[in-house]
Every structure is written in C-alpha cells, then in structure tokens.
Amino acid sequence: MFKNKETFKEAFIEKLATVHGTTLDLATDMEKYTALGNLIRDYITQKWIETNNQYMKNNQKEMYYFSLEFLLGKLLGSNLLNLGIADACKEVLQELDIDLDMIENMESDAGLGNGGLGRLAACFLDSLASLQLPGHGCGIRYKYGLFEQKIVDGYQVELPDNWLKFGNVWEIRKPDKAVEVKFGGNIRTEISDGDMVFIHENYDSVLAVPYDTPIVGYENNTVNTLRLWSAEPSTKDFDFSSFSRGDYMKAVEYKYSVEAISQVLYPDDSNFENKILRLKQQYFFVSAGLQSIIRRYKKKHKNFFSFADRIGIHINDTHPVLAIPELMRILMDEEGLGWDEAWRITTSTISYTNHTIMSEALEKWPVDAFKSLLPRIFMIINEINERFCKEAWNRYAGDWDRIHHMAIIADGYVKMAHLAIVGSYSINGVAKLHTKILRKEVMKDFYEFFPYKFNNKTNGITHRRWLLKANPSLASLITDTIGPSWVQHPHDLIKLTRYADDASVLEKLYKIKMENKQLLSSLIKNKYDITLDTASIFDVQVKRIHAYKRQLLNVFHIMDLYNRLRENPDLDIAPRTFIFGGKAAPGYYIAKLSIKLINTLASIINNDKTIKDKIKVVFLENYNVSLAEKIFPASDVSEQISTASKEASGTGNMKFMMNGAITIGTMDGANIEITEEVGNENIFILGLTSDEVLNFYRYGGYNAWDIYNSDARVKMILNQMINGFLPDEKEQFRNIFNYLLYNNDEYFVLKDFASYVDTQNRLEQKFKNKNKWYKMSANNIAHSGKFSSDGTIHEYAVGIWKIDPTHISE
Ligand code: 26V
C-alpha cells in the first residue's frame, strides 16, 4: 500500500469510493478523514494479526491492564507517527491538495476518562506496544465520554460527548466473541459428587460485546489490543419478536436498562457516590474481560497450573477490583478448582495501583445493595474477608480495633481498597512521596501485614505523543542538537544539558517557544477574541478543577497582582497571561464557582484599560487531550500547586517540563522527583511540605482567620468576594469567602499565599533574563527523559508483571 506515492494515492481514492461512494473533488473533510483512517487501519491490521499469532505461538506471559478509563484522545496522528509514515502521508496528501492537520482535526477525541488516571492508562498502552511488550487494555466502550464543557455567562455547562456520532474508524466490533454477564438473582447450593456446587438462578443476563482497537508500537510491528466492552440485551432474555404487544413497552425498558451500563463515563473523579449503575459497570467489564482471557487461555492450556505464569491482570485503582472475586468464581464454579488453588492463582495474577489518598474518593459499597446485585460475588468476598480476618487474628489476637479497621467488610460496607490489597500480589503508589504516605499513613496497617507487596512506580508520559507529535519543532531542534537516539531512548535527552549554555541553541529554543505561543494566541484570538502578547509570561494551570489542586491560590495571586497594578499602573512587572483550563465535576459546587470566578475576573481584567494590557486572563473551554497538545508547547510556566500530600503524582507537570515550561509548585507528588532531577535552580518551589500539612491535620494549630487578619493582601482579596468589587448579582462569591474562613481553609490556600506570591516574584525576575530562563528551560527538557512512560512501563514489566519483550517480525 505504501510502496510508493502513486499506490498510496490510488488506495486513498479507492477508499473514498468504496467507503463513501464519492470522489476526491466531492468528498467532505470528514469523508477524507474516514477514508484515510480506514486505509491506515487496513495497514495496521496485517501487523495486528501477526502480533496476535506470535503471542499465541510463543506461549509467554501476557498482561491485561484493566481500567474503567482510557483517555486516548485522537489516534490518526499518533498511529501515523508510530507507523513511521507521518511525513510520507503528509506529502502525498499535500500533492492531492489536502492538509493532513486539517484532516486529523476531523477525528473526535476518545475522551473515555476523567483526567490523570485515564490518560495514564493511554500513555501506558502506547509504551507497552512501543517496548514490544505483550500488554493489552480492557475497559468499557462508553457511548458518551467525559461531558463537553461549554462556558455560558462564565459558568460551566455540561453537554453530552457524542464522540461516536460519525463512527469510529479504529474499532472492530467482534459480536462472535460476545460473552454473557449475570446480575441479580439468587444462588442455590447443591451437593454434587460430594462437592458443594453453586447455581446462579433467576439472574438478569447482559450481553457484553467487545470492540477492539489496535494499539500501535513505535516503528516496531507490534500491535496490541485495547478491548472495550459494550452492553447489549442478551438474545436469550430478549427477543423482540416474542414479545406480545402488551409487553412491548417492557421490552423497550429492558433494552434501555441494559444499554445504560455502557452509556456514559461517570464524570466525578473526586468523590465516591453510591451509584449502583457504577458498580454494574465495574462488574460488567471485569467479568467480560476475564471470561475472554480465560477462553483464550484454554485454547492453549488444559489446566490452570500455569495460569499466573501466562496471564497478568493489573487493576487501575480499585474500580476493577471485582476481578479478584470474579476470577475466584470462574476458577471454582466454572472450572472446578478448590478454594486454595483458586486463591493461589488469583493472588499471583492480580496487581493493583492506588492513585489517591483522598478519603472521599475511596470506594465502599453498601452490603445490601451489593449482595442483591452480585450475590455470588458477595459470597466469595465474604469468604475472603473471613479468612483474612482469621489470619489477622492469628497475628494480632485481641486487637479488635486493628482487625476491624483492616476488614474487607465492616460497618455495612464492602471496602474495595482492602479487597485489592488482600487479593493482589503487588500494590504500588504512583510517585515516591505518594508511596511513602501509603506505607506510613493511609495503608499503614496493611503495610505492616504485607510489607513485601508494597512498591513505588513513579508515573510517566509518552514522549511520542507529548513531545514528538505535540511539539514537532522542538523535537527537530533536539534531534539536530543531540541526534535522534532520544526518540528510542528518552533518557538520552540528558545530552541536552551540554547545550544549556549554548547561546545559539537557547535562541532557537526561544524562537520555537514564541512560535508555539503565537499558534495558541491565534487559536485564542479566533475563539475568544482576546489579544495576547506573546512576549508575556504564559502562566498556565490546566487540570481538573478541584479544591486540593488550588486553582483559587492561582486566582488570589492574580487578584493581588491586579490590586497592585490598580494602585500603581506604572508598576514595572513582566506582562503575564494567565491561562486556565479544566472541567469541574457537574455536582461540585466550589469547583464550578471557581470557574465562574476566573471568568468574572477575566472580563474585568481584560477590559481594564488602566493596566495597559500588563495582565490577561483566559479560561479555555473544554480542556481535553487535543487542546492539551496545543497548550503544553506554548507554556512558559507550569502551575503545580496542590496542597502538599494530596496530588498522588500529577502527570501534566511532566508534560509541561518536557515542553520546556518551568514549574512553580509545591513539594507534592512527582514535583519532588522533578526537583530531584532538575535541581533547585531549575524549578520554583513554594509552600508547606507534606509533613507540615499532615501535622496540621493531626494536631491542629492552623487558623485561617489569623491570616485574614494579619495579611492585608489576603484581607483585601477575600473582602473583594463580598464587597461588590466583583459583579455578583446572586452574591455567590460570598460562598468562597465562607468556604475558606468558616471551613478553616482545609487546603491551606491562605496559609501558602505569601510563599506563593514571593515565589512568583522570584520567577518573574528570572523571566526577565531571557538567557537564564531558556537555560532553565533546556535543563528541564534535558531531565524529562526520566518521566517517559517507557521507563515507568519498563519498571512495571520487570518489577511487577515479569513480562518480556517479543520481537514481531514483518
Ligand atoms: C475516582 C473515582 C471515585 C468515585 C467515582 C468515580 C471516580 C473516578 C475516578 C477516580 C480516580 C481518582 C484518582 C485519580 O484520578 N488519581 C490521579 O491519578 C493520576 C495518575 O496516577 C495522578 O497523576 C494524580 O495525581 C491522581 O490525582
């Protein structure tokens, strides 16, 4: 197909005809996109089949990454890049007068994730395939991804994300591989041949239909699989023709209740809510995924002795933790193994990553609802719990409190994190500090009990999407400067440190940053009609809107700067552009109010002629993967200012750094490791440490009012929330005043304010010296190799999964 330009053109034109019944001159951009997508998918398919055949033949261990979220973004660009045909394709299309970038834009983002956790899963898939590792994804094919955010009158409004509206060229539906998933009903026990057997009766049956998406490795022939499950009415229970006219409405109702399971991604990643549909989603994809894995395993193996040597299942947070009891169920009830054997296999197959210490995000399901939705699974968890508590009793006889704390079922709830810890062989945190807090605080008792299970795997990001693809001019400069080895070996980026004093390299770095800032400014001008000064500091905070991430701290710095400028319009400051982006959970009042506050400030500041355009504020609507790819390359400053201890890792911090932005941040999550890499002179650190924060939580001693009363700037800003300074008909901003002062500022926004402002001032002085600034920038890029997800995945592969690379021949 890609032998030469002419065959490619012919194939493309043929696709336009066969897929859309159209010609080059008549085709719409969307038709051109789907034709190209189809063509590329055909090309991938050869490698895909070959990869599957070789995995099957080789008999080596394969791993499956189970995740309720995969935040992939667009795939055309990254597939072309990984196939090594991006440039060729661009040229050919140019000859046909087609702009590849424009075609790429026609694709919808696959936004099947909330934020960091879902994007991490997507980066991991890219790295698995690029390292030639046999590792696949398993999740849900949501009909609607994370909501689309519109800003109306400054407020966030949520619209459904109908990403499949124009179809999806990358997926292949596999109806013949569908499996049945059972909900509800009751369990009858029987003795058969002297053994107790469990018979599930009166259940509701749901059909799980897989859709497979190829995951293309970087220039290596490996094509792994992301299998996403869709819920459909089971033909066994549902046969429209057999419904009499009177049952028609019931039939339709049933159909919708089944389809609801894979209808939509839950949009709140910060607060656990007892929504039974979410539990259904979890069991649905876990059961379907395990059934298909076992079916494949049985094609090659007669028994389960070597199951754990051939299959690894990794659970992304506790969302897929039902894999533990479900694997037990299949091994015992369907495959006839005894408890001990099934338990040995299960606990050597499953590994678990924790992604948050926020207690409100911990999943716990009420026993009653759980039992009626998943009666057999509940029985198994109950047994796991009893056996575990017995073991704990043997060790801590008499210490009821401790055992009560550790129990999987307690106080009327099933505690999913406890199940994950007890039923897996590895538990990891996602950055050094996060793992330390898990060991010493959040999971202290469990760490004492199973110290050997705990380990750290610091997160990473794929440098292919976030540098090579998102920032092609920077990638070229790097290659021109240090050679191309960094693409395969991102640690080689370190060679750039040799050029951190090379004026000509720094000048080029500066030019590239200015070009990227110009591109983003044009986008902003077109969409919002706001004119930006590309010479100003692009100071950017993009991430989910959450109190612990402290967008409010950023806002208060802006207000303080604005207050200073109003007092003295001639104040000599480096001009700044403050850019925000991010979605708030639809029911999260303070987060949504923060968005309104940012937009209110933006309209005041951007229209205030007296400050002579020295500061601008922009809130970018609908932050998603594609927008992120435009923002990171254009950023000077990366805002990573979570309350220390709260951000498990952060991964946006790594994307900024890799694109030459300088971090201003707290000693939290992976910021600590970024500091270790770049050194204190290449990062701006502020605020309380995690120990200080944890001590305040433990012993008290912080009073938000003290700061309000002692820091005139803070008093002024908070008063501006209530004194009419901000247009606020409904007096909503008073709730921010109240939230901070009457709830004693749970995330220490006021406490860290002075330190933040000081640090911003230091940063500004550095920015004024272009040479020093771009030296820092070069050093950040040079040290970002450590945060490539290739390194992270290598560590998972060697340290947890024990999987080996397989070379796929052509
Ligand atoms: C939690 C919940 C809880 C209730 C219902 C829906 C839902 C959906 C997602 C989550 C996950 C919350 C945890 C999370 O996203 N953690 C983030 O993981 C990133 C990757 O490890 C890490 O970089 C971020 O610091 C961490 O906040």
Side-chain angles (χ1 to χ4, degrees):
M1 186 186 313
F2 299 111
K3 283 198 189 79
N4 59 51
K5 287 183 181 177
E6 289 318 307
T7 54
F8 182 95
K9 278 184 202 166
E10 280 164 26
F12 176 66
I13 291 167
E14 194 181 320
K15 276 286 177 209
L16 279 174
T18 53
V19 178
H20 296 295
T22 190
T23 60
L24 205 49
D25 347 321
L26 294 178
T28 63
D29 289 341
M30 183 56 84
E31 286 169 336
K32 289 174 194 163
Y33 160 71
T34 27
L36 181 62
N38 270 286
L39 190 63
I40 302 303
R41 200 197 60 202
D42 289 352
Y43 179 64
I44 293 170
T45 306
Q46 312 299 322
K47 299 174 192 284
W48 202 3
I49 293 169
E50 190 51 36
T51 305
N52 278 327
N53 286 343
Q54 293 205 25
Y55 286 168
M56 197 64 163
K57 209 171 65 202
N58 287 356
N59 204 23
Q60 88 226 52
K61 185 169 179 182
E62 286 178 66
M63 76 85 37
Y64 297 85
Y65 197 80
F66 275 38
S67 177
L68 214 37
E69 306 191 7
F70 288 95
L71 188 40
L72 299 169
K74 302 191 202 300
L75 290 180
L76 177 58
S78 60
N79 283 342
L80 291 174
L81 176 81
N82 284 7
L83 290 167
I85 57 174
D87 292 338
C89 195
K90 197 175 184 99
E91 264 178 46
V92 174
L93 291 176
Q94 223 152 34
E95 289 174 20
L96 297 175
D97 223 11
I98 298 171
D99 175 8
L100 177 58
D101 294 339
M102 211 242 310
I103 295 297
E104 280 181 33
N105 256 332
M106 301 311 297
E107 181 173 354
S108 302
D109 270 43
L112 310 185
N114 273 286
L117 170 140
R119 181 56 230 177
L120 186 76
C123 285
F124 279 6
L125 292 182
D126 184 73
S127 285
L128 279 162
S130 296
L131 295 180
Q132 303 186 296
L133 288 164
H136 313 281
C138 176
I140 292 182
R141 180 184 181 270
Y142 300 105
K143 188 163 175 203
Y144 296 94
L146 185 61
F147 64 85
E148 188 189 307
Q149 178 193 56
K150 282 258 177 272
I151 301 298
V152 178
D153 187 26
Y155 292 100
Q156 166 176 299
V157 173
E158 301 90 21
L159 300 177
D161 164 46
N162 193 0
W163 71 293
L164 293 167
K165 190 166 47 186
F166 297 105
N168 174 1
V169 297
W170 306 113
E171 66 184 13
I172 300 186
R173 180 181 159 90
K174 300 266 171 76
D176 54 318
K177 297 200 165 150
V179 299
E180 184 188 25
V181 179
K182 300 173 183 176
F183 291 100
N186 57 282
I187 306 300
R188 185 165 56 80
T189 52
E190 239 175 41
I191 302 294
S192 154
D193 290 342
D195 285 331
M196 175 104 89
V197 290
F198 298 85
I199 300 147
H200 199 169
E201 299 176 327
N202 306 314
Y203 53 82
D204 294 325
S205 172
V206 173
L207 198 66
V209 181
Y211 286 71
D212 288 354
T213 298
I215 304 295
V216 179
Y218 183 73
E219 293 187 353
N220 65 7
N221 295 318
T222 296
V223 180
N224 290 331
T225 301
L226 169 59
R227 174 161 286 184
L228 299 178
W229 297 91
S230 179
E232 297 184 8
S234 151
T235 39
K236 224 166 75 186
D237 279 23
F238 182 74
D239 177 2
F240 245 110
S241 62
S242 75
F243 278 94
S244 67
R245 229 172 265 167
D247 279 345
Y248 173 78
M249 292 307 286
K250 225 170 156 188
V252 174
E253 251 170 54
Y254 166 70
K255 178 176 182 305
Y256 281 114
S257 75
V258 167
E259 287 169 355
I261 296 173
S262 54
Q263 197 71 2
V264 59
L265 168 79
Y266 272 91
D268 191 339
D269 65 347
S270 48
N271 209 17
F272 174 73
E273 273 188 294
N274 173 20
K275 290 277 191 317
I276 218 67
L277 182 59
R278 173 137 170 124
L279 185 59
K280 268 192 192 170
Q281 292 186 329
Q282 297 184 347
Y283 182 66
F284 167 74
F285 95 96
V286 155
S287 175
L290 280 171
Q291 289 183 58
S292 82
I293 289 166
I294 286 173
R295 188 175 48 200
R296 183 170 155 91
Y297 175 84
K298 283 166 73 175
K299 282 190 188 160
K300 287 215 66 169
H301 302 88
K302 289 195 197 65
N303 59 52
F304 286 86
F305 296 140
S306 63
F307 188 80
D309 300 323
R310 297 285 169 264
I311 306 288
I313 290 167
H314 196 86
I315 59 175
N316 197 20
D317 217 294
T318 55
H319 319 152
V321 73
L322 295 179
I324 292 164
E326 176 66 0
L327 183 53
M328 290 294 288
R329 184 192 69 79
I330 296 174
L331 293 175
M332 295 188 301
D333 297 1
E334 293 181 11
E335 304 297 341
L337 272 60
W339 180 278
D340 291 338
E341 182 68 354
W343 185 244
R344 187 193 63 75
I345 294 170
T346 301
T347 52
S348 349
T349 300
I350 295 190
S351 46
Y352 155 61
T353 298
N354 172 285
H355 293 268
T356 183
I357 64 152
M358 306 279 289
S359 54
E360 52 293 14
L362 289 183
E363 297 190 293
K364 50 177 194 167
W365 298 100
V367 161
D368 291 340
F370 194 110
K371 215 190 264 179
S372 62
L373 184 71
L374 303 167
R376 179 63 182 136
I377 293 301
F378 182 78
M379 289 169 81
I380 293 170
I381 295 176
N382 211 21
E383 181 74 23
I384 296 173
N385 182 46
E386 276 182 20
R387 287 172 186 243
F388 169 66
C389 288
K390 222 171 264 168
E391 229 184 288
W393 182 259
N394 288 339
R395 188 135 152 205
Y396 307 117
D399 195 345
W400 284 106
D401 254 12
R402 183 193 288 252
I403 294 165
H404 179 86
H405 275 132
M406 296 174 79
I408 299 169
I409 304 175
D411 309 319
Y413 290 99
V414 183
K415 302 185 172 175
M416 306 302 250
H418 297 194
L419 178 58
I421 297 169
V422 173
S424 62
Y425 68 90
S426 168
I427 299 144
N428 74 281
V430 291
K432 280 186 199 165
L433 174 68
H434 171 59
T435 302
K436 181 176 146 196
I437 294 173
L438 289 179
R439 284 179 168 140
K440 301 228 155 128
E441 318 264 341
V442 182
M443 297 178 170
K444 188 168 178 287
D445 290 342
F446 286 105
Y447 178 54
E448 237 178 83
F449 203 83
F450 303 118
Y452 51 89
K453 290 192 184 186
F454 285 76
N455 63 92
N456 176 247
K457 296 286 170 283
T458 299
N459 282 166
I461 58 168
T462 168
H463 62 288
R464 287 166 292 274
R465 178 177 291 264
W466 296 109
L467 175 50
L468 209 47
K469 172 169 175 288
N471 200 343
S473 14
L474 178 57
S476 302
L477 171 63
I478 296 171
T479 298
D480 292 347
T481 311
I482 61 169
S485 68
W486 66 275
V487 177
Q488 293 287 355
H489 306 286
H491 276 282
D492 284 356
L493 284 170
I494 199 71
K495 292 181 191 164
L496 261 183
T497 48
R498 289 183 222 150
Y499 299 87
D501 285 309
D502 181 322
S504 90
V505 170
L506 298 188
E507 183 61 26
K508 287 177 194 155
L509 207 51
Y510 162 76
K511 287 223 166 88
I512 288 167
K513 186 60 83 181
M514 290 302 277
E515 280 165 27
N516 289 330
K517 285 165 82 172
Q518 187 53 56
L519 288 172
L520 184 63
S521 301
S522 308
L523 182 152
I524 290 171
K525 177 75 190 167
N526 288 335
K527 186 157 178 187
Y528 305 95
D529 196 27
I530 300 173
T531 308
L532 299 183
D533 171 8
T534 51
S536 68
I537 305 174
F538 277 26
D539 181 335
V540 185
Q541 188 170 23
V542 285
K543 51 180 79 248
R544 286 299 286 255
I545 313 293
H546 196 296
Y548 86 79
K549 294 178 188 279
R550 300 200 294 192
Q551 279 88 2
L552 281 180
L553 181 56
N554 188 343
V555 166
F556 290 178
H557 168 243
I558 300 173
M559 291 180 75
D560 178 53
L561 193 56
Y562 182 52
N563 288 337
R564 280 184 272 156
L565 274 173
R566 285 189 313 133
E567 199 171 284
N568 175 12
D570 294 322
L571 195 72
D572 178 29
I573 62 155
R576 277 216 208 211
T577 302
F578 295 96
I579 297 175
F580 291 86
K583 296 177 184 178
Y588 190 168
Y589 178 73
I590 283 290
K592 291 180 102 171
L593 190 55
S594 304
I595 294 177
K596 173 67 178 169
L597 177 61
I598 293 166
N599 285 314
T600 303
L601 271 176
S603 65
I604 296 176
I605 293 175
N606 299 347
N607 295 309
D608 184 341
K609 296 278 179 306
T610 64
I611 61 164
K612 301 174 190 145
D613 289 336
K614 283 184 182 167
I615 54 177
K616 288 271 164 83
V617 180
V618 187
F619 188 94
L620 296 176
E621 192 174 74
N622 202 38
Y623 178 62
N624 61 11
V625 171
S626 291
L627 187 54
E629 288 171 26
K630 301 191 171 88
I631 295 172
F632 294 119
S635 300
D636 295 310
V637 174
S638 159
E639 295 280 350
Q640 308 300 335
I641 53 178
S642 52
T643 309
S645 78
K646 295 291 181 184
E647 190 69 272
S649 157
T651 44
N653 46 4
M654 302 166 185
K655 295 163 198 163
F656 277 108
M657 171 196 196
M658 196 173 269
N659 283 280
I662 312 301
T663 306
I664 180 165
T666 47
M667 278 304 219
D668 199 17
N671 298 351
I672 294 176
E673 284 151 88
I674 292 179
T675 311
E676 279 172 17
E677 290 300 303
V678 301
N680 279 310
E681 65 283 14
N682 292 304
I683 191 165
F684 294 92
I685 296 296
L686 70 293
L688 295 172
T689 63
S690 62
D691 284 337
E692 288 168 331
V693 167
L694 295 172
N695 279 334
F696 275 128
Y697 284 137
R698 200 166 299 139
Y699 306 113
Y702 171 54
N703 184 351
W705 284 103
D706 290 346
I707 300 196
Y708 173 82
N709 288 318
S710 62
D711 188 328
R713 301 166 300 179
V714 170
K715 185 176 252 173
M716 174 151 182
I717 292 164
L718 284 181
N719 287 348
Q720 286 171 329
M721 300 289 151
I722 55 175
N723 65 9
F725 173 79
L726 302 168
D728 184 16
E729 280 162 30
K730 296 179 223 154
E731 290 203 28
Q732 299 171 86
F733 297 132
R734 177 175 292 278
N735 292 321
I736 289 180
F737 181 97
N738 291 344
Y739 165 72
L740 290 172
L741 291 172
Y742 295 106
N743 275 348
N744 203 31
D745 184 17
E746 56 179 331
Y747 295 114
F748 302 98
V749 174
L750 308 186
K751 180 83 184 155
D752 276 346
F753 174 80
S755 163
Y756 182 54
V757 172
D758 287 349
T759 310
Q760 283 285 18
N761 292 340
R762 269 201 297 130
L763 180 152
E764 183 190 332
Q765 294 316 312
K766 267 282 173 66
F767 187 83
K768 286 178 174 167
N769 184 328
K770 186 171 134 191
N771 210 53
K772 281 196 178 151
W773 185 267
Y774 282 92
K775 179 177 176 174
M776 285 198 294
S777 178
N779 275 319
N780 270 270
I781 301 166
H783 289 92
S784 68
K786 139 118 187 166
F787 301 104
S788 165
S789 45
D790 287 6
T792 311
I793 283 297
H794 177 77
E795 287 181 11
Y796 274 90
V798 171
I800 301 179
W801 301 328
K802 321 285 179 202
I803 52 172
D804 299 314
T806 313
H807 178 72
I808 307 295
S809 43
E810 266 202 84

